Amino acid sequence: MSSYDPDRRIWSGARVDPPIDPKRSLGEALLELLSRNPDKPVQIDAHTDRTLTRGGLRLRSIRIAQNLQSLGYGANDIATIAAMTSENLMPVTVALQLLALPYNSLFPNYAVDEMAHMMGQTQSRLVFCDAWNYETARDAARKEVVNDVRFFILDGAVDGVASVEELLAETGKEHEFQATAVDDPSKTTYSIFCSSGTTGKPKGICLSHANKTSSFCTPVFSNLVFLAIGSIHWVSVAFTHDLAIFCDSVVVITRKPFSEDLFFDLIERYAINGINGPPVYAHALMNHPRIAKADLSAIKLWGIGGYFVSDSIRDAVDAALPAGRSFTIYASTECGLIASDLAKRKRGAIGQVMPNVQIRIVDEEGQSLGTGELGELWIKRFTPFVGYYKNEEATKAVLHEDEWFQSGDMGYFDEDRYLYLVDRKGDSFKYANDLVSPQELEDLISQVEGVVQVCVVGIPTADRRQELPTAVVIRRVGSTVSEQQIVQFIEKHVNDHKRLRGGVYFVDQLPCTSKGNVRRKVVRKMILDNEIK
């Protein structure tokens, strides 16, 4: 259970000792974990139906690590991974952790300049990619990396380019392998994830060995079969892979991008009982024709993560699960799991603070606020993230005294210590001197029949003295929902200043980051530039 200290005005999750000593390196922990239950499956490849056991993963990872060592790679290097999830991706990531060799995971669909942006910072001379995006990764490396770069293809084949299969060659010394030791697991980076890029070019978020080993304190995720759709550039997908290893579970992987039919097919074929995905996936699935007859009886836990999850989505998911339930996750790459309603749901709320996490609500003057008071969330985790890669200025802007992280999220706590998120700082705008929350309006509009996705922005009036609430909507195929219907629905549910005075626009798609977050500023600019009419 969480607690609240009224004197310090700090909300805290339970203090729980991690099952793995955070003073150990990831490599040491992984070798031990994968020695347990070696014949138990840890991964199923939905593309080939092949199963990888925990012992098989351990052996493959050791061989990859030893063969990389023989090529001269080690803890002083940084690898780049730009690949979809295929059979040998997990062995590669585990091998890199055994070597204490950090890796930067990139969105596989990045264009050349987008890949080059991060490669130029990391100067990676070791790249894992797929056959289909090899030329993009190669051109990005040629553009920004100074030294020679070695490529390994994870999925598919490219003439003249090494396959990851070459790294699986027997060494004859597998039994002698020892993981690379690190001096300070709390400061040693194991992975560099990219920020969402909603406010500019992505930053490299450095997570330490201790960040990962201290993250698995919730036994509810043990012995499940998880579904992972997407690439590991998205930390929630990487976390799902980690749950399989650290919680003695299984992950079903696929190279294909998300689609409703793919989801339903895999859920039924593999009796998936653990899901973690964004609200947009859940909304699309609940509005798909197959939902009426889909067999979701195996699902026990459906985690819906991201920034804001509406009660309407939660209600629809809960109604569709005959033997399971949904839960909300508030998390960030920098802070990990922050709050959730795994224990008990309360409508409108995110949930209570997760174990080994503390939260303050802070006003614009930096003063801590109390129960029911709206402010910015400052977060402190068991082990703070290392910082932004080669960006001390950005790190200092968010990581403050005593290692409190300034999230940029606005919210408050109620008397029951439940957290409510209101907006991203800077997303809200004013009409008639009253604050308008885009998330609140988006939640309401998403309840209108036929709406698949929505983005609300403020569009300035001619004199630029105030901004008009404006909605941009994607309709379900075949839907005829109109602007008038949406406007009238909103008028019934909100105060006058929140009415959609800027109107409603309909589009086929919304501009999103590689992690699926709508680029709100881009949407606003598209309206101002008359690109949306």
Side-chain angles (χ1 to χ4, degrees), residues 145-461:
V145 181
V146 175
N147 297 313
D148 291 338
V149 178
R150 189 188 299 268
F151 288 85
F152 287 97
I153 303 299
L154 276 162
D155 188 42
V158 176
D159 289 342
V161 183
S163 167
V164 71
E165 296 287 339
E166 298 179 22
L167 296 176
L168 293 172
E170 294 184 25
T171 66
K173 299 182 292 184
E174 289 86 351
H175 63 287
E176 300 175 2
F177 181 79
Q178 292 186 346
T180 301
V182 299
D183 292 332
D184 186 350
S186 68
K187 300 295 183 183
T188 304
T189 298
Y190 89 89
S191 183
I192 303 170
F193 288 94
C194 293
S195 63
S196 62
T198 53
T199 58
K201 289 185 176 181
K203 298 185 289 290
I205 303 170
C206 297
L207 299 183
S208 71
H209 290 238
N211 284 146
K212 179 179 279 193
T213 54
S214 64
S215 294
F216 302 94
C217 301
T218 308
V220 70
F221 296 124
S222 298
N223 296 299
L224 296 177
V225 180
F226 290 98
L227 175 61
I229 297 179
S231 74
I232 60 167
H233 85 286
W234 190 15
V235 71
S236 64
V237 175
F239 183 71
T240 304
H241 289 203
D242 290 335
L243 286 174
I245 297 174
F246 283 80
C247 298
D248 210 20
S249 291
V250 183
V251 60
V252 176
I253 62 170
T254 175
R255 298 151 174 76
K256 298 178 180 179
F258 170 82
S259 73
E260 293 91 334
D261 284 327
L262 174 67
F263 177 92
F264 288 123
D265 289 345
L266 297 182
I267 289 292
E268 294 177 347
R269 188 196 313 171
Y270 295 105
I272 303 293
N273 47 35
I275 298 168
N276 178 26
V280 65
Y281 287 4
H283 193 281
L285 292 162
M286 294 303 107
N287 284 278
H288 194 272
R290 284 184 64 176
I291 191 63
K293 297 183 179 180
D295 181 5
L296 307 182
S297 59
I299 299 176
K300 296 179 180 179
L301 293 172
W302 187 324
I304 308 176
Y307 179 72
F308 185 82
V309 183
S310 69
D311 279 319
S312 60
I313 292 177
R314 294 289 303 279
D315 292 343
V317 171
D318 286 340
L321 301 182
R325 62 185 176 89
S326 68
F327 64 96
T328 298
I329 308 166
Y330 169 49
S332 72
T333 306
E334 292 92 340
C335 295
L337 302 180
I338 300 167
S340 179
D341 60 358
L342 263 168
K344 182 180 179 182
R345 179 184 173 188
K346 188 173 186 179
R347 296 185 69 82
I350 291 295
Q352 294 190 336
V353 185
M354 291 291 285
N356 298 333
V357 175
Q358 294 182 312
I359 299 178
R360 295 164 54 204
I361 304 295
V362 177
D363 65 16
E364 293 183 355
E365 303 300 322
Q367 300 300 309
S368 294
L369 302 174
T371 298
E373 295 182 292
L374 176 65
E376 183 179 4
L377 277 66
W378 285 31
I379 302 158
K380 187 175 183 179
R381 67 184 295 181
F382 181 82
T383 303
F385 86 115
V386 179
Y388 296 116
Y389 187 72
K390 291 187 176 180
N391 196 335
E392 187 175 351
E393 181 180 354
T395 302
K396 288 182 176 179
V398 298
L399 202 56
H400 298 283
E401 184 180 359
D402 204 19
E403 298 177 327
W404 285 94
F405 176 79
Q406 185 175 351
S407 72
D409 295 331
M410 304 294 290
Y412 64 93
F413 281 92
D414 68 10
E415 294 287 350
D416 296 321
R417 304 179 303 283
Y418 272 75
L419 173 66
Y420 295 75
L421 291 181
V422 177
D423 260 314
R424 282 288 299 172
K425 190 176 182 180
D427 280 354
S428 299
F429 56 91
K430 287 187 175 183
Y431 176 80
N433 210 35
D434 288 315
L435 201 64
V436 177
S437 164
Q439 266 78 21
E440 178 188 0
L441 291 175
E442 288 165 359
D443 181 23
L444 289 169
I445 295 169
S446 68
Q447 298 175 33
V448 177
E449 179 67 25
V451 173
V452 171
Q453 193 173 7
V454 57
C455 175
V456 170
V457 296
I459 298 301
T461 56

Side-chain angles (χ1 to χ4, degrees), residues 461-472:
T461 56
D463 59 11
R464 308 190 71 83
R465 295 179 62 183
Q466 52 194 1
E467 295 183 289
L468 306 177
T470 306
V472 182

Side-chain angles (χ1 to χ4, degrees), residues 28 43 65 70 114 157 205 215 239 296 368 414 422 475 491 494 500 508 514 518-519:
E28 293 170 333
Q43 173 182 280
S70 70
E114 292 171 312
I205 303 170
S215 294
F239 183 71
L296 307 182
S368 294
D414 68 10
V422 177
R475 284 183 284 210
E491 288 177 351
V494 300
L500 296 174
D508 294 328
S514 64
V518 175
R519 295 181 181 270

